Amino acid sequence: MSSEKRDRTQLIVSIAVCLFAGAVGALLTAPHANTWYRALLKPPLNPPGWVFAPVWITLYILMGIALYQVWRKVPLGGDDTRSLAW
């Protein structure tokens, strides 16, 4: 496998892992969030509900990119700097 194809595959896997984690969390909390969240007294500047899905998806994609960067970090001189991120 070429280096470019391996890098692309690792990036896709990293993003997919983070999106999967977010999807599991959403599936477990969505049935309950609809009942109590609507009943909250929210401040006037509270964003509309449709904003949350794209924002969370964007955050999980960015976490996937960060995971890819940590995964691809090559240890220099035997010092594995990836341990700082874990």
Side-chain angles (χ1 to χ4, degrees):
M1 181 184 300
S2 72
S3 176
E4 184 178 315
K5 187 173 181 179
R6 185 184 68 239
D7 289 348
R8 192 175 321 122
T9 301
Q10 288 177 330
L11 176 61
I12 291 168
V13 167
S14 298
I15 292 172
V17 165
C18 290
L19 287 173
F20 177 75
V24 168
L27 289 173
L28 293 174
T29 59
H32 307 291
N34 209 15
T35 56
W36 63 268
Y37 184 74
R38 289 182 188 255
L40 290 176
L41 294 174
K42 298 174 200 69
L45 295 176
N46 187 63
W50 63 267
V51 171
F52 290 95
V55 168
W56 277 107
I57 290 170
T58 302
L59 288 172
Y60 278 101
I61 289 172
L62 292 173
M63 285 189 282
I65 293 170
L67 175 62
Y68 166 75
Q69 290 177 333
V70 170
W71 189 2
R72 293 296 302 148
K73 180 72 177 165
V74 178
L76 298 174
D79 180 26
D80 191 356
T81 55
R82 288 181 291 190
S83 63
L84 295 174
W86 301 113

Coordinates of all heavy atoms in Angstrom, one line a residue:
M1 N 0.8 -1.2 0.0 CA 0.0 0.0 0.0 C 0.9 1.2 0.0 O 1.8 1.3 0.8 CB -0.9 0.0 1.2 CG -1.8 1.1 1.3 SD -2.9 1.2 2.8 CE -3.8 -0.3 2.7
S2 N 0.6 2.2 -0.9 CA 1.4 3.4 -0.9 C 1.2 4.2 0.3 O 0.2 4.1 1.0 CB 1.0 4.2 -2.2 OG -0.3 4.8 -2.0
S3 N 2.2 5.1 0.6 CA 2.1 5.9 1.8 C 0.9 6.9 1.7 O 0.3 7.1 2.7 CB 3.4 6.7 1.8 OG 3.4 7.6 2.9
E4 N 0.6 7.4 0.6 CA -0.5 8.4 0.4 C -1.8 7.7 0.7 O -2.7 8.2 1.4 CB -0.5 9.0 -0.9 CG -1.6 10.0 -1.1 CD -1.5 10.7 -2.5 OE1 -0.4 11.0 -2.9 OE2 -2.5 10.8 -3.1
K5 N -2.0 6.5 0.2 CA -3.2 5.7 0.4 C -3.3 5.3 1.8 O -4.4 5.3 2.4 CB -3.2 4.5 -0.5 CG -4.5 3.7 -0.5 CD -4.6 2.6 -1.5 CE -5.9 1.9 -1.5 NZ -6.0 0.9 -2.5
R6 N -2.2 4.9 2.5 CA -2.2 4.5 3.9 C -2.6 5.7 4.7 O -3.4 5.6 5.7 CB -0.9 4.0 4.3 CG -0.9 3.5 5.8 CD 0.5 3.0 6.2 NE 1.4 4.2 6.3 CZ 2.5 4.3 5.7 NH1 2.9 3.4 4.9 NH2 3.3 5.4 5.8
D7 N -2.1 6.9 4.4 CA -2.4 8.1 5.2 C -3.9 8.4 5.0 O -4.5 8.8 6.0 CB -1.6 9.3 4.7 CG -0.1 9.2 5.1 OD1 0.2 8.3 5.9 OD2 0.7 10.0 4.6
R8 N -4.4 8.4 3.8 CA -5.8 8.6 3.6 C -6.7 7.7 4.4 O -7.7 8.1 5.0 CB -6.1 8.6 2.1 CG -7.5 9.1 1.8 CD -7.8 9.2 0.3 NE -6.6 9.6 -0.5 CZ -6.1 8.9 -1.5 NH1 -6.6 7.7 -1.8 NH2 -5.1 9.3 -2.2
T9 N -6.3 6.4 4.4 CA -7.1 5.4 5.1 C -7.0 5.6 6.6 O -8.1 5.6 7.3 CB -6.5 4.0 4.8 OG1 -6.6 3.7 3.4 CG2 -7.3 2.9 5.5
Q10 N -5.9 6.0 7.1 CA -5.8 6.3 8.5 C -6.6 7.5 8.9 O -7.2 7.6 10.0 CB -4.3 6.5 8.9 CG -3.5 5.2 9.0 CD -2.0 5.5 9.3 OE1 -1.5 6.5 9.0 NE2 -1.4 4.5 9.9
L11 N -6.7 8.5 8.0 CA -7.5 9.7 8.3 C -8.9 9.3 8.3 O -9.7 9.7 9.3 CB -7.2 10.8 7.3 CG -8.1 12.0 7.4 CD1 -7.8 12.8 8.7 CD2 -7.8 13.0 6.2
I12 N -9.4 8.6 7.4 CA -10.8 8.1 7.3 C -11.2 7.3 8.5 O -12.2 7.5 9.2 CB -11.1 7.4 6.0 CG1 -11.0 8.4 4.8 CG2 -12.4 6.7 6.0 CD1 -11.0 7.7 3.5
V13 N -10.3 6.4 8.9 CA -10.5 5.5 10.1 C -10.6 6.4 11.4 O -11.5 6.2 12.2 CB -9.5 4.4 10.2 CG1 -9.5 3.8 11.6 CG2 -9.6 3.4 9.1
S14 N -9.7 7.3 11.5 CA -9.7 8.2 12.7 C -11.0 9.0 12.8 O -11.6 9.1 13.9 CB -8.5 9.2 12.6 OG -7.3 8.5 12.6
I15 N -11.4 9.6 11.7 CA -12.7 10.4 11.7 C -13.8 9.4 12.0 O -14.7 9.8 12.7 CB -12.8 11.1 10.4 CG1 -11.8 12.2 10.3 CG2 -14.2 11.7 10.3 CD1 -11.7 13.0 9.0
A16 N -13.8 8.3 11.3 CA -15.0 7.3 11.5 C -15.1 6.9 13.0 O -16.2 6.7 13.5 CB -14.8 6.1 10.6
V17 N -13.9 6.6 13.7 CA -13.9 6.2 15.1 C -14.6 7.3 15.9 O -15.4 7.0 16.8 CB -12.5 5.9 15.5 CG1 -12.4 5.8 17.1 CG2 -12.0 4.6 14.9
C18 N -14.2 8.6 15.7 CA -14.8 9.7 16.5 C -16.3 9.9 16.2 O -17.1 10.1 17.1 CB -14.0 10.9 16.2 SG -12.3 10.9 17.0
L19 N -16.6 9.8 14.9 CA -18.1 9.9 14.6 C -18.9 8.8 15.1 O -20.0 9.0 15.6 CB -18.2 10.0 13.0 CG -17.8 11.3 12.4 CD1 -17.9 11.2 10.9 CD2 -18.6 12.5 12.9
F20 N -18.3 7.6 15.2 CA -19.0 6.4 15.8 C -19.2 6.7 17.2 O -20.3 6.4 17.8 CB -18.2 5.2 15.5 CG -18.8 3.9 16.1 CD1 -20.0 3.4 15.6 CD2 -18.3 3.4 17.3 CE1 -20.6 2.3 16.2 CE2 -18.9 2.3 17.9 CZ -20.0 1.7 17.3
A21 N -18.2 7.2 17.9 CA -18.3 7.4 19.4 C -19.4 8.5 19.6 O -20.3 8.4 20.5 CB -17.0 7.9 19.9
G22 N -19.5 9.5 18.8 CA -20.5 10.5 18.9 C -21.9 10.0 18.6 O -22.9 10.3 19.3
A23 N -22.0 9.1 17.6 CA -23.3 8.5 17.2 C -23.8 7.6 18.4 O -25.0 7.6 18.7 CB -23.2 7.7 16.0
V24 N -22.9 6.9 19.0 CA -23.3 6.0 20.1 C -23.9 6.9 21.3 O -24.9 6.6 21.8 CB -22.2 5.1 20.6 CG1 -22.5 4.5 21.9 CG2 -21.9 4.1 19.6
G25 N -23.1 7.9 21.6 CA -23.6 8.9 22.6 C -24.9 9.5 22.3 O -25.8 9.6 23.1
A26 N -25.1 9.9 21.0 CA -26.4 10.5 20.6 C -27.5 9.5 20.7 O -28.6 9.9 21.1 CB -26.2 11.1 19.2
L27 N -27.3 8.3 20.3 CA -28.4 7.3 20.3 C -28.8 7.0 21.8 O -29.9 6.7 22.0 CB -27.9 6.0 19.6 CG -27.8 6.1 18.1 CD1 -27.2 4.9 17.5 CD2 -29.2 6.4 17.5
L28 N -27.8 7.0 22.7 CA -28.1 6.7 24.1 C -28.8 7.8 24.8 O -29.6 7.6 25.7 CB -26.9 6.3 24.8 CG -26.2 5.0 24.4 CD1 -24.9 4.8 25.1 CD2 -27.1 3.8 24.6
T29 N -28.6 9.1 24.4 CA -29.1 10.2 25.1 C -30.3 10.9 24.4 O -31.1 11.6 25.1 CB -28.0 11.3 25.3 OG1 -27.5 11.7 24.1 CG2 -26.9 10.8 26.2
A30 N -30.5 10.7 23.1 CA -31.5 11.4 22.4 C -32.9 11.1 22.9 O -33.7 12.1 23.0 CB -31.4 11.0 20.9
P31 N -33.3 9.9 23.2 CA -34.7 9.7 23.7 C -35.0 10.5 25.0 O -36.1 10.9 25.2 CB -34.7 8.2 24.0 CG -33.6 7.6 23.2 CD -32.6 8.7 23.1
H32 N -34.0 10.7 25.8 CA -34.2 11.4 27.1 C -34.0 12.9 27.0 O -34.6 13.7 27.7 CB -33.2 10.9 28.2 CG -33.3 9.4 28.3 ND1 -34.4 8.7 28.8 CD2 -32.4 8.4 27.9 CE1 -34.2 7.4 28.7 NE2 -33.0 7.2 28.2
A33 N -33.1 13.4 26.1 CA -32.8 14.8 26.0 C -34.1 15.6 25.5 O -34.3 16.7 25.9 CB -31.7 15.0 25.0
N34 N -34.9 15.0 24.7 CA -36.0 15.7 24.2 C -37.0 16.0 25.2 O -37.8 17.0 25.1 CB -36.7 14.8 23.1 CG -37.4 15.7 22.0 OD1 -37.1 16.9 21.9 ND2 -38.2 15.0 21.3
T35 N -37.1 15.3 26.3 CA -38.1 15.6 27.4 C -37.6 16.7 28.3 O -38.3 17.7 28.5 CB -38.4 14.3 28.2 OG1 -37.2 13.8 28.7 CG2 -39.1 13.2 27.3
W36 N -36.4 16.6 28.9 CA -36.0 17.5 29.8 C -35.4 18.8 29.2 O -35.6 19.9 29.8 CB -35.0 16.9 30.8 CG -33.7 16.5 30.2 CD1 -33.4 15.2 29.8 CD2 -32.6 17.3 30.0 NE1 -32.2 15.2 29.2 CE2 -31.6 16.4 29.4 CE3 -32.2 18.6 30.2 CZ2 -30.3 16.9 29.0 CZ3 -31.0 19.0 29.8 CH2 -30.0 18.2 29.2
Y37 N -34.8 18.7 28.0 CA -34.2 19.9 27.5 C -35.2 20.9 27.0 O -35.0 22.1 27.2 CB -33.3 19.5 26.3 CG -32.5 20.7 25.7 CD1 -31.4 21.2 26.4 CD2 -32.9 21.3 24.5 CE1 -30.7 22.3 25.9 CE2 -32.2 22.3 24.0 CZ -31.1 22.9 24.7 OH -30.5 23.9 24.2
R38 N -36.3 20.5 26.5 CA -37.3 21.4 26.0 C -38.0 22.1 27.2 O -38.5 23.3 27.1 CB -38.4 20.7 25.2 CG -37.9 20.2 23.9 CD -39.1 19.6 23.1 NE -38.6 19.0 21.9 CZ -38.8 19.5 20.7 NH1 -39.5 20.6 20.6 NH2 -38.3 18.9 19.6
A39 N -37.9 21.5 28.4 CA -38.6 22.1 29.6 C -37.7 23.2 30.3 O -38.1 23.9 31.1 CB -38.9 21.0 30.6
L40 N -36.4 23.2 29.9 CA -35.5 24.2 30.5 C -35.8 25.6 30.2 O -36.3 25.9 29.1 CB -34.0 23.9 30.1 CG -33.4 22.6 30.6 CD1 -32.0 22.5 29.9 CD2 -33.2 22.6 32.1
L41 N -35.6 26.5 31.1 CA -35.7 27.9 30.8 C -34.3 28.4 30.2 O -33.3 28.3 30.9 CB -36.0 28.7 32.1 CG -37.4 28.5 32.7 CD1 -37.5 29.2 34.0 CD2 -38.4 28.9 31.7
K42 N -34.4 28.7 29.0 CA -33.1 29.0 28.3 C -32.9 30.6 28.1 O -33.9 31.3 28.0 CB -33.1 28.4 26.9 CG -33.2 26.9 27.0 CD -33.4 26.3 25.6 CE -33.9 24.9 25.6 NZ -35.3 24.8 26.0
P43 N -31.7 31.0 28.1 CA -31.4 32.4 27.9 C -31.8 32.9 26.5 O -32.0 32.1 25.6 CB -29.9 32.6 28.1 CG -29.4 31.2 27.8 CD -30.4 30.2 28.2
P44 N -32.1 34.2 26.3 CA -32.5 34.7 25.0 C -31.5 34.4 23.9 O -32.0 34.2 22.7 CB -32.6 36.2 25.2 CG -32.6 36.4 26.7 CD -32.0 35.2 27.3
L45 N -30.2 34.3 24.1 CA -29.3 34.1 23.1 C -29.0 32.6 22.8 O -28.1 32.2 22.1 CB -27.9 34.7 23.4 CG -28.0 36.3 23.5 CD1 -26.7 36.9 23.9 CD2 -28.4 36.8 22.1
N46 N -29.8 31.7 23.4 CA -29.7 30.3 23.2 C -29.9 30.0 21.7 O -30.9 30.4 21.1 CB -30.7 29.5 24.0 CG -30.5 28.0 23.9 OD1 -29.5 27.5 24.4 ND2 -31.5 27.3 23.4
P47 N -29.0 29.3 21.0 CA -29.2 29.0 19.6 C -30.3 28.0 19.3 O -30.7 27.3 20.2 CB -27.8 28.4 19.2 CG -27.2 27.9 20.4 CD -27.7 28.7 21.5
P48 N -30.9 28.1 18.2 CA -32.0 27.2 17.8 C -31.5 25.7 17.8 O -30.3 25.5 17.6 CB -32.5 27.6 16.4 CG -31.4 28.5 15.9 CD -30.6 29.0 17.1
G49 N -32.4 24.8 18.0 CA -32.1 23.4 18.1 C -31.3 22.8 16.8 O -30.5 22.0 17.0
W50 N -31.7 23.3 15.6 CA -31.0 22.8 14.4 C -29.5 23.1 14.4 O -28.8 22.4 13.6 CB -31.8 23.3 13.2 CG -31.7 24.8 13.0 CD1 -32.5 25.7 13.4 CD2 -30.6 25.5 12.4 NE1 -32.1 27.0 13.1 CE2 -30.9 26.9 12.4 CE3 -29.4 25.1 11.8 CZ2 -30.0 27.8 11.9 CZ3 -28.6 26.1 11.2 CH2 -28.9 27.4 11.3
V51 N -29.0 24.0 15.2 CA -27.6 24.3 15.1 C -26.7 23.2 15.7 O -25.6 23.0 15.3 CB -27.4 25.7 15.8 CG1 -25.9 26.0 16.0 CG2 -28.1 26.8 15.1
F52 N -27.3 22.5 16.7 CA -26.5 21.6 17.5 C -25.9 20.4 16.7 O -24.7 20.1 16.9 CB -27.3 21.1 18.7 CG -27.5 22.2 19.7 CD1 -28.6 22.9 19.8 CD2 -26.5 22.4 20.7 CE1 -28.8 23.9 20.7 CE2 -26.6 23.4 21.6 CZ -27.8 24.2 21.6
A53 N -26.7 19.9 15.8 CA -26.2 18.7 15.0 C -25.0 19.0 14.2 O -24.0 18.4 14.2 CB -27.3 18.1 14.2
P54 N -25.0 20.1 13.3 CA -23.8 20.4 12.5 C -22.6 20.8 13.4 O -21.5 20.5 13.0 CB -24.3 21.6 11.6 CG -25.6 22.0 12.0 CD -26.2 21.0 13.0
V55 N -22.9 21.5 14.5 CA -21.7 21.9 15.4 C -21.1 20.6 16.0 O -19.9 20.5 15.9 CB -22.2 22.8 16.5 CG1 -21.1 23.0 17.5 CG2 -22.6 24.2 15.8
W56 N -21.9 19.7 16.5 CA -21.3 18.5 17.1 C -20.6 17.6 16.0 O -19.6 17.1 16.3 CB -22.4 17.7 17.8 CG -22.6 18.2 19.2 CD1 -23.7 18.9 19.6 CD2 -21.8 18.1 20.3 NE1 -23.6 19.2 20.9 CE2 -22.4 18.8 21.4 CE3 -20.5 17.5 20.5 CZ2 -21.8 18.8 22.7 CZ3 -20.0 17.6 21.8 CH2 -20.6 18.3 22.8
I57 N -21.2 17.5 14.9 CA -20.6 16.7 13.8 C -19.2 17.3 13.4 O -18.2 16.6 13.3 CB -21.5 16.6 12.6 CG1 -22.7 15.7 12.9 CG2 -20.7 16.1 11.4 CD1 -23.8 15.7 11.9
T58 N -19.2 18.7 13.3 CA -17.9 19.3 13.0 C -16.9 19.1 14.1 O -15.7 18.8 13.8 CB -18.2 20.9 12.9 OG1 -19.1 21.1 11.8 CG2 -16.9 21.6 12.6
L59 N -17.3 19.2 15.4 CA -16.4 18.9 16.5 C -15.8 17.5 16.4 O -14.6 17.3 16.7 CB -17.1 19.2 17.8 CG -17.4 20.6 18.2 CD1 -18.2 20.7 19.4 CD2 -16.1 21.4 18.3
Y60 N -16.7 16.5 16.2 CA -16.2 15.1 16.1 C -15.3 14.9 14.9 O -14.3 14.1 15.0 CB -17.4 14.1 16.1 CG -17.9 13.9 17.5 CD1 -19.1 14.5 17.9 CD2 -17.3 13.0 18.4 CE1 -19.5 14.3 19.2 CE2 -17.7 12.8 19.6 CZ -18.9 13.5 20.1 OH -19.3 13.2 21.3
I61 N -15.5 15.6 13.8 CA -14.6 15.5 12.7 C -13.3 16.1 13.0 O -12.2 15.5 12.7 CB -15.2 16.1 11.4 CG1 -16.4 15.3 10.9 CG2 -14.2 16.3 10.3 CD1 -17.2 16.0 9.8
L62 N -13.3 17.2 13.7 CA -12.0 17.8 14.1 C -11.3 16.9 15.1 O -10.0 16.8 15.1 CB -12.3 19.2 14.7 CG -12.7 20.2 13.7 CD1 -13.1 21.5 14.4 CD2 -11.7 20.5 12.6
M63 N -12.0 16.3 16.0 CA -11.4 15.3 16.9 C -10.8 14.1 16.2 O -9.7 13.7 16.5 CB -12.4 14.8 18.0 CG -12.7 15.8 19.0 SD -13.7 15.1 20.4 CE -15.3 15.0 19.6
G64 N -11.4 13.7 15.1 CA -10.9 12.7 14.3 C -9.6 13.1 13.6 O -8.6 12.3 13.5
I65 N -9.5 14.3 13.1 CA -8.3 14.9 12.5 C -7.2 14.9 13.5 O -6.0 14.6 13.2 CB -8.6 16.2 11.9 CG1 -9.5 16.0 10.7 CG2 -7.3 16.9 11.4 CD1 -10.1 17.3 10.1
A66 N -7.5 15.3 14.8 CA -6.5 15.4 15.8 C -6.0 14.0 16.1 O -4.8 13.8 16.3 CB -7.1 16.0 17.1
L67 N -6.9 13.0 16.2 CA -6.5 11.6 16.4 C -5.6 11.1 15.3 O -4.6 10.5 15.6 CB -7.7 10.7 16.5 CG -7.5 9.2 16.6 CD1 -6.7 8.9 17.9 CD2 -8.8 8.4 16.6
Y68 N -5.9 11.5 14.1 CA -5.0 11.1 13.0 C -3.6 11.7 13.1 O -2.6 11.1 12.9 CB -5.6 11.6 11.6 CG -4.7 11.6 10.5 CD1 -4.4 10.4 9.9 CD2 -4.2 12.7 10.0 CE1 -3.5 10.3 8.8 CE2 -3.3 12.7 8.9 CZ -3.0 11.5 8.3 OH -2.1 11.5 7.2
Q69 N -3.6 13.0 13.5 CA -2.3 13.6 13.7 C -1.5 13.0 14.8 O -0.2 12.8 14.7 CB -2.5 15.1 14.0 CG -3.0 15.9 12.8 CD -3.2 17.3 13.1 OE1 -3.5 17.7 14.3 NE2 -3.1 18.2 12.1
V70 N -2.1 12.6 15.9 CA -1.4 11.8 17.0 C -0.9 10.5 16.5 O 0.2 10.0 16.7 CB -2.3 11.7 18.2 CG1 -1.7 10.8 19.2 CG2 -2.6 13.1 18.8
W71 N -1.8 9.8 15.7 CA -1.5 8.5 15.2 C -0.3 8.5 14.2 O 0.6 7.7 14.3 CB -2.7 7.9 14.4 CG -2.7 6.5 14.0 CD1 -1.7 5.6 14.2 CD2 -3.7 5.8 13.2 NE1 -2.0 4.4 13.6 CE2 -3.2 4.5 13.0 CE3 -4.9 6.2 12.7 CZ2 -4.0 3.6 12.3 CZ3 -5.7 5.3 12.1 CH2 -5.2 4.0 11.9
R72 N -0.2 9.6 13.4 CA 0.9 9.7 12.4 C 2.2 10.2 13.0 O 3.2 10.2 12.4 CB 0.4 10.6 11.3 CG -0.7 10.0 10.4 CD -0.3 8.7 9.7 NE 0.9 9.0 8.9 CZ 1.8 8.1 8.6 NH1 1.8 7.0 9.1 NH2 2.8 8.5 7.8
K73 N 2.1 10.8 14.2 CA 3.3 11.3 14.8 C 4.4 10.3 14.9 O 4.2 9.2 15.5 CB 3.0 11.9 16.2 CG 4.2 12.5 17.0 CD 4.5 13.8 16.3 CE 5.7 14.4 17.1 NZ 6.3 15.5 16.4
V74 N 5.6 10.6 14.3 CA 6.7 9.6 14.3 C 7.6 10.0 15.5 O 8.0 11.1 15.7 CB 7.5 9.7 13.0 CG1 8.6 8.8 13.0 CG2 6.5 9.4 11.8
P75 N 7.9 9.0 16.4 CA 8.8 9.3 17.5 C 10.2 9.7 17.0 O 10.7 9.1 16.0 CB 8.9 7.9 18.2 CG 7.8 7.1 17.7 CD 7.4 7.6 16.3
L76 N 10.7 10.7 17.6 CA 12.1 11.2 17.2 C 13.1 10.7 18.2 O 13.0 11.0 19.4 CB 12.1 12.7 17.1 CG 11.2 13.3 16.1 CD1 11.2 14.9 16.2 CD2 11.6 12.9 14.7
G77 N 14.1 10.0 17.8 CA 15.1 9.6 18.7 C 14.7 8.7 19.8 O 15.2 8.7 20.9
G78 N 13.6 7.9 19.6 CA 13.2 7.0 20.6 C 12.3 7.6 21.6 O 11.7 6.9 22.5
D79 N 12.1 8.9 21.6 CA 11.2 9.6 22.5 C 9.8 9.7 21.9 O 9.6 10.4 21.0 CB 11.7 11.0 22.8 CG 10.9 11.8 23.8 OD1 10.2 11.1 24.6 OD2 10.9 13.0 23.7
D80 N 8.9 8.8 22.4 CA 7.6 8.8 21.9 C 6.7 9.9 22.4 O 6.2 9.8 23.5 CB 6.9 7.4 22.2 CG 5.6 7.2 21.4 OD1 5.2 8.1 20.7 OD2 5.0 6.1 21.6
T81 N 6.7 11.0 21.7 CA 5.9 12.2 22.1 C 4.4 12.0 22.1 O 3.7 12.8 22.5 CB 6.3 13.4 21.3 OG1 6.1 13.2 19.9 CG2 7.8 13.8 21.6
R82 N 4.0 10.9 21.5 CA 2.5 10.7 21.4 C 2.0 10.5 22.8 O 0.8 10.7 23.1 CB 2.2 9.4 20.6 CG 2.4 9.7 19.1 CD 2.1 8.4 18.3 NE 3.1 7.4 18.6 CZ 3.2 6.3 17.9 NH1 2.4 6.0 17.0 NH2 4.1 5.4 18.2
S83 N 2.8 10.0 23.8 CA 2.3 9.8 25.1 C 1.8 11.1 25.7 O 0.9 11.0 26.6 CB 3.3 9.1 26.0 OG 4.4 10.0 26.1
L84 N 2.2 12.2 25.3 CA 1.7 13.5 25.8 C 0.3 13.7 25.4 O -0.5 14.4 26.2 CB 2.6 14.6 25.3 CG 4.0 14.7 25.7 CD1 4.8 15.8 25.0 CD2 4.1 14.8 27.2
A85 N -0.2 13.2 24.3 CA -1.5 13.4 23.9 C -2.5 12.3 24.5 O -3.7 12.6 24.6 CB -1.6 13.2 22.3
W86 N -2.0 11.2 24.9 CA -2.8 10.2 25.5 C -3.0 10.6 26.9 O -3.8 10.4 27.7 CB -2.3 8.8 25.4 CG -2.0 8.4 24.0 CD1 -0.8 8.2 23.4 CD2 -2.9 8.1 22.9 NE1 -0.9 7.8 22.1 CE2 -2.2 7.8 21.8 CE3 -4.3 8.2 22.9 CZ2 -2.9 7.5 20.6 CZ3 -4.9 7.9 21.7 CH2 -4.2 7.5 20.5

